[in-house]
């Protein structure tokens, strides 16, 4: 089964860009990459998803490498409220199974 | 308001006493799923359901049962809870659960149920 690997923690200065990497070297076919974030112990919230091309929405940008083996979530101007755990996930090709990695705990500091 | 609800939010029980955690969504979603979250292990999928009467195992199904008799409800059943099932549980739903589903696979999570088994 495809897995995702993320650094356990990262720090970012307030106002600077936060770049969160994810390795998904065994991704295949039409499997999308999804990013979620979880603040404290609340239910995770969807941020963005992508297949091949870079994506941007009001929350973040997603850069996917050409070989699709890794991606980077970019929060362009991090605020203190962006302090959370960020999960990179893959939705399996056969449908149904969703694998979350262990996530990256992002601390945004003043 | 579109939402996923879970009940109870907190539960302390004893080993072996059967319990059910309910999950309900009001978005007419086809796909529903249960996860547990433990320190250092992230979110792990327990069971999922692609539609009514269709359920399948996730990564950690042992000790759990589910049913999907109606589209909106997806209860999680612990027939004989044990202390290693002490965890934070999340239910989630999405419009679809298909490969290549793009935004249709966006998961909407409930608020979580904190279960302690003594």
């Amino acid at each position: 089964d495809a897995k995702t690997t993320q650094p356990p923690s990262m720090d970012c200065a307030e106002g600077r860009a936060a770049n969160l990497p994810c390795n998904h070297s065994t991704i295949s076919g039409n499997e999308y990459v999804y990013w979620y974030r979880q603040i404290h112990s609340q239910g995770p919230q969807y941020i963005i998803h992508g297949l091949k091309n870079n994506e941007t929405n009001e929350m973040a940008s997603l850069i996917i490498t050409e070989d699709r083996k890794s991606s980077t979530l970019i929060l362009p101007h991090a605020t203190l409220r962006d302090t959370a755990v960020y999960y990179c996930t893959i939705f399996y090709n056969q449908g149904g199974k969703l694998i979350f990695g262990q996530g990256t705990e992002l601390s945004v500091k003043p | 308001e579109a939402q996923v609800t879970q009940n109870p939010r907190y539960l302390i029980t004893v080993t072996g006493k059967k319990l059910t955690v309910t999950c309900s969504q009001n978005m007419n979603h086809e796909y529903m799923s249960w996860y547990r979250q433990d320190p250092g292990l992230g979110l792990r999928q327990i069971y999922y359901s692609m539609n009514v009467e269709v359920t399948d195992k996730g990564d950690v199904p042992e000790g759990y049962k589910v049913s999907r008799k109606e589209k909106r409800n997806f209860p999680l059943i612990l027939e004989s809870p044990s202390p290693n099932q002490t965890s934070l549980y999340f239910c989630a739903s999405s419009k679809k659960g298909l490969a290549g589903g793009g935004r249709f696979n966006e998961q909407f999570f409930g608020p979580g149920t904190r279960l302690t088994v003594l």
Side-chain angles (χ1 to χ4, degrees):
Chain A
D1 289 344
K3 294 194 185 303
T4 62
T5 305
Q6 300 175 253
S9 63
M10 292 181 65
D11 290 339
C12 178
E14 189 178 19
R16 304 297 294 270
N19 297 285
L20 295 98
C22 178
N23 181 287
H24 34 80
S25 58
T26 56
I27 195 170
S28 63
N30 59 347
E31 291 172 347
Y32 279 75
V33 180
Y34 296 79
W35 283 81
Y36 291 80
R37 77 176 181 186
Q38 184 179 28
I39 297 174
H40 299 301
S41 294
Q42 299 174 21
Q45 291 178 300
Y46 165 87
I47 302 172
I48 199 168
H49 75 277
L51 182 63
K52 297 179 188 176
N53 302 318
N54 299 338
E55 303 286 347
T56 295
N57 64 19
E58 65 279 3
M59 291 181 68
S61 295
L62 175 61
I63 308 295
I64 302 174
T65 58
E66 194 168 338
D67 62 7
R68 302 215 313 127
K69 293 186 176 184
S70 65
S71 59
T72 301
L73 179 75
I74 301 172
L75 308 177
H77 305 287
T79 71
L80 298 178
R81 289 178 296 177
D82 291 323
T83 292
V85 179
Y86 289 79
Y87 291 97
C88 161
T89 80
I90 304 290
F91 212 102
Y92 275 116
N93 202 30
Q94 67 267 33
K97 206 167 184 181
L98 187 59
I99 297 293
F100 283 81
Q102 295 188 19
T104 295
E105 186 168 4
L106 176 68
S107 295
V108 180
K109 300 182 184 302
Chain B
E1 181 190 352
Q3 60 183 350
V4 178
T5 56
Q6 296 179 226
N7 282 292
R9 295 289 313 280
Y10 302 90
L11 179 61
I12 300 174
T13 188
V14 295
T15 299
K17 186 176 181 182
K18 181 179 178 180
L19 67 92
T20 299
V21 184
T22 65
C23 172
S24 183
Q25 50 91 7
N26 62 0
M27 296 169 278
N28 200 36
H29 283 170
E30 290 184 1
Y31 180 90
M32 297 186 75
S33 182
W34 276 102
Y35 303 88
R36 62 176 291 173
Q37 185 172 37
D38 303 290
L41 296 177
L43 284 156
R44 293 181 293 168
Q45 192 177 41
I46 303 171
Y47 269 96
Y48 62 92
S49 170
M50 298 288 278
N51 213 326
V52 176
E53 301 291 1
V54 181
T55 63
D56 211 341
K57 297 178 181 178
D59 271 350
V60 288
E62 295 79 20
Y64 304 95
K65 286 175 59 178
V66 292
S67 68
R68 187 91 183 274
K69 294 183 171 57
E70 310 165 274
K71 202 170 189 179
R72 64 182 294 129
N73 296 322
F74 190 45
L76 179 70
I77 303 156
L78 285 73
E79 295 268 2
S80 182
S82 62
N84 64 13
Q85 292 177 298
T86 292
S87 187
L88 178 59
Y89 291 86
F90 289 102
C91 178
S93 72
S94 63
K95 187 173 286 190
K96 297 283 185 183
L98 299 174
R103 190 68 191 254
F104 289 145
N105 291 345
E106 174 189 343
Q107 301 287 295
F108 291 81
F109 282 83
T113 294
R114 192 168 290 280
L115 172 66
T116 301
V117 183
L118 301 174

